[in-house]
Amino acid sequence: MSGSAAPRPYTLVAELTYACPLHCVYCSNPLDFARRHDALDTDDWRRVLREAEELGVVQVNLTGGEPLLRPDLEGIVEEARSLDLYTNLITSGIPLERERLERLGRAGLDNVQVSFQDPRAAESDRIAGHPSFDHKLQVARWVKELGLPLTVNTVLHRENLERIGEVIALAEELRADRLELANTQYLGWAFRNRAALLPTADQLQRARSLAAAARKRLEGRMEVVFVVPDYYVEFPPACMDGWGRRFMVVSPDGLLLPCLLAHTLPGLSFGNVRERSVQELWTSSPGLAAFRGEAWMPEPCKSCERRTVDFGGCRCQAYFLTGNAAVTDPACSLSPHHALIEAARVQAADPPAELVRFSYRTARPPSDPSL
Amino acid sequence: MAHAGLPDAGRLIPPRPALAAKARLRYDRTSGGYMLLYPERGLALNPTAASILKLCKGELTVDGIVERLQREYVDRPSPELRQDVVDFLEEMARRGLLVEGT
């Protein structure tokens, strides 16, 4: 690789399909997912894995949509295993039978991450827009019975943050090896549903304390990860560890991306793995070059000493909030657009009296033209 | 290390440590070293750390691991080497990456 060339990627996020039986109100897929079609066949994915590994990738997250909807998932896992990639299946657990999980385990899965939308069945099914909680429990138990490591993931928001203690208890009961308590980040579907999902500062603080206590108590047995929403930080985290830096995402339609939503930002072009090699795209795709490194940065990032820590925050968040992906992430307290975040916090603390309705993830194209 | 030498140093280390099922050592041909991979994480290991983890197969005690390592690191004073091993394994155990061998 030449001097100013792309850094080494470590993780491939393989989005095998946008199809999913669930309709979660904070889904991280693009709003227009239904217009994008699964374009990669088994051989394409096998080649993507090989080329990514050659470039330095050591971990692959198989995700979607729901990766289990791909009948060729076993073959993809086998290829990942033959390349010695650490292979993590990120799933809702729907649809899955024990025999198939056993086959996937034999094919070489290193870890299975099962999502629970809530620790209570009725609430979980309501957020998912699909009766799924009971089967998820069954799947999580099979994972452990088959000797596979289990991650329990729950996405947090104002309706379930108060039940974080129950989430922790559920993960303990399931003997999870890792618990991901990931607050919603307000992009895509979650941005549409922000008024219904954004917690108050107090809710968040209480949940954070409970998570910290659990982390200490379960130390050595269960890794407890608590991810704060960007809306309540002073400085944004390094989104994806920096644009086009350590993570590469391949979308179901074959685009090589720096994150899950980059292809929805206007004016950026990302090449397709059906036409070019992963290496060529990683090193020379104009979309990846656009926000890599520091050259693109405006003030206050440009002269900020944190620019090599947070890389200017999240480009998609900048776009969703300001319509311009090339400004400092408004989540940063130094951003000239930070008032947008403060206003959302104020609204969360004092919500409108009328019922805020969820917009479920559906195939119907969103009507809001600004998105 | 803040806790070095304290009575509870190494308290989380299983008697005969083995790598947890979720953790996997992988040779990295780009760097020529080893990486320890686990969900959403990866640690680039220095040669000593890699040697220690390769000995974590659920057969050796911490003392056994130190004894084996001493053959590789003949110039390192034994108490110092032991302290390094304990500190490193304690950190691995804290992350849930070690279990008791079966």
Side-chain angles (χ1 to χ4, degrees):
Chain A
M1 238 179 265
S2 63
S4 64
R8 172 183 175 178
Y10 287 86
T11 301
L12 167 67
V13 179
E15 295 187 301
L16 301 181
T17 179
Y18 281 140
C20 185
L22 272 53
H23 307 279
C24 300
V25 296
Y26 41 64
C27 179
S28 59
N29 290 163
L31 292 168
D32 66 354
F33 75 91
R35 291 209 310 263
R36 301 171 182 270
H37 298 290
D38 294 355
L40 305 184
D41 64 21
T42 320
D43 285 343
D44 290 328
W45 277 114
R46 286 178 182 267
R47 180 176 52 81
V48 165
L49 291 169
R50 283 196 301 274
E51 292 176 352
E53 196 275 339
E54 264 169 48
L55 208 47
V57 163
V58 293
Q59 288 225 8
V60 58
N61 292 339
L62 300 172
T63 181
E66 175 48 67
L68 292 170
L69 293 180
R70 292 221 31 152
D72 58 354
L73 183 58
E74 285 85 335
I76 294 169
V77 172
E78 257 165 35
E79 183 74 26
R81 179 73 235 198
S82 77
L83 294 163
D84 202 20
L85 293 168
Y86 190 95
T87 308
N88 190 5
L89 177 66
I90 296 176
T91 180
S92 68
I94 315 289
L96 184 60
E97 294 312 317
R98 189 187 162 107
E99 290 67 30
R100 188 174 191 210
L101 182 59
E102 207 168 350
R103 282 203 302 279
L104 288 164
R106 274 201 307 271
L109 281 183
D110 287 294
N111 189 69
V112 180
Q113 172 175 322
V114 180
S115 62
F116 287 88
Q117 282 62 36
D118 196 281
R120 297 183 188 175
E123 290 308 307
S124 183
D125 292 351
R126 189 172 82 88
I127 292 290
H130 184 80
S132 48
F133 183 82
D134 292 343
H135 193 68
K136 285 164 177 285
L137 276 184
Q138 184 62 72
V139 167
R141 291 193 178 112
W142 288 336
V143 170
K144 291 301 289 189
E145 282 167 25
L146 292 168
L148 290 162
L150 172 70
T151 296
V152 164
N153 166 285
T154 295
V155 175
L156 302 171
H157 46 81
R158 70 184 290 137
E159 289 205 1
N160 67 4
L161 266 170
E162 316 282 350
R163 292 192 283 281
I164 193 169
E166 293 175 45
V167 179
I168 295 163
L170 175 66
E172 283 188 76
E173 187 210 316
L174 292 171
R175 293 182 295 125
D177 299 274
R178 182 169 198 262
L179 171 61
E180 241 183 47
L181 300 163
N183 271 278
T184 308
Q185 301 296 351
Y186 295 92
L187 306 161
W189 292 94
F191 189 74
R192 281 175 76 84
N193 286 309
R194 193 180 71 182
L197 294 173
L198 188 66
T200 67
D202 284 351
Q203 275 187 304
L204 192 63
Q205 194 41 53
R206 282 195 299 275
R208 199 178 191 168
S209 307
L210 286 171
R215 183 182 307 124
K216 205 164 161 50
R217 181 171 60 82
L218 298 167
E219 189 173 61
R221 282 184 285 151
M222 185 196 298
E223 185 188 359
V224 179
V225 181
F226 185 82
V227 184
V228 178
D230 292 358
Y231 275 54
Y232 285 101
V233 296
E234 190 181 359
F235 302 111
C239 191
M240 302 303 285
D241 265 344
W243 181 278
R245 194 164 159 268
R246 290 171 175 269
F247 285 85
M248 59 165 70
V249 177
V250 174
S251 67
D253 40 354
L255 300 175
L256 189 116
L257 304 169
C259 72
L260 307 180
L261 291 173
H263 47 333
T264 67
L265 302 179
L268 296 181
S269 90
F270 296 100
N272 199 297
V273 296
R274 277 178 308 163
E275 287 141 25
R276 305 262 168 82
S277 74
V278 169
Q279 165 151 21
E280 189 183 348
L281 293 171
W282 180 252
T283 53
S284 57
S285 146
L288 282 168
F291 298 117
R292 209 175 236 157
E294 299 172 26
W296 65 273
M297 286 183 182
E299 291 294 358
C301 292
K302 198 177 184 168
S303 58
C304 180
E305 59 183 24
R306 290 185 55 86
R307 69 185 182 281
T308 54
V309 177
D310 60 34
F311 307 99
C314 174
R315 297 304 85 229
C316 300
Q317 190 145 268
Y319 173 68
F320 274 96
L321 285 166
T322 73
N324 182 358
V327 297
T328 296
D329 185 341
C332 179
S333 53
L334 302 173
S335 157
H337 298 103
H338 190 59
L340 294 166
I341 295 284
E342 288 171 334
R345 291 182 195 159
V346 168
Q347 197 194 31
D350 187 17
E354 77 267 25
L355 187 68
V356 187
R357 298 183 71 89
F358 283 140
S359 212
Y360 284 93
R361 174 197 137 120
T362 60
R364 206 171 46 249
S367 53
D368 186 341
S370 71
L371 303 178
Chain B
M1 296 284 147
H3 60 273
L6 293 178
D8 69 341
R11 74 189 160 86
L12 287 174
I13 306 173
R16 290 172 197 275
L19 275 184
K22 69 174 178 178
R24 194 142 72 73
L25 266 178
R26 184 191 201 263
Y27 177 71
D28 182 41
R29 61 183 188 277
T30 311
S31 63
Y34 278 84
M35 296 183 82
L36 185 67
L37 302 174
Y38 56 108
E40 313 268 334
R41 303 264 198 279
L43 301 172
L45 302 173
N46 66 32
T48 315
S51 300
I52 296 170
L53 289 183
K54 280 189 222 167
L55 294 170
C56 291
K57 294 188 167 157
E59 290 155 13
L60 299 173
T61 61
V62 171
D63 287 334
I65 290 170
V66 174
E67 195 188 309
R68 289 282 292 275
L69 271 186
Q70 192 77 66
R71 299 176 202 167
E72 213 180 317
Y73 297 88
V74 283
D75 295 337
R76 289 288 293 284
S78 179
E80 211 177 90
L81 187 63
R82 186 174 199 287
Q83 195 58 60
D84 285 353
V85 171
V86 169
D87 287 344
F88 176 66
L89 288 180
E90 176 75 1
E91 174 59 25
M92 293 295 101
R94 211 176 52 74
R95 294 170 187 243
L97 300 174
L98 296 178
V99 293
E100 170 65 3
T102 46

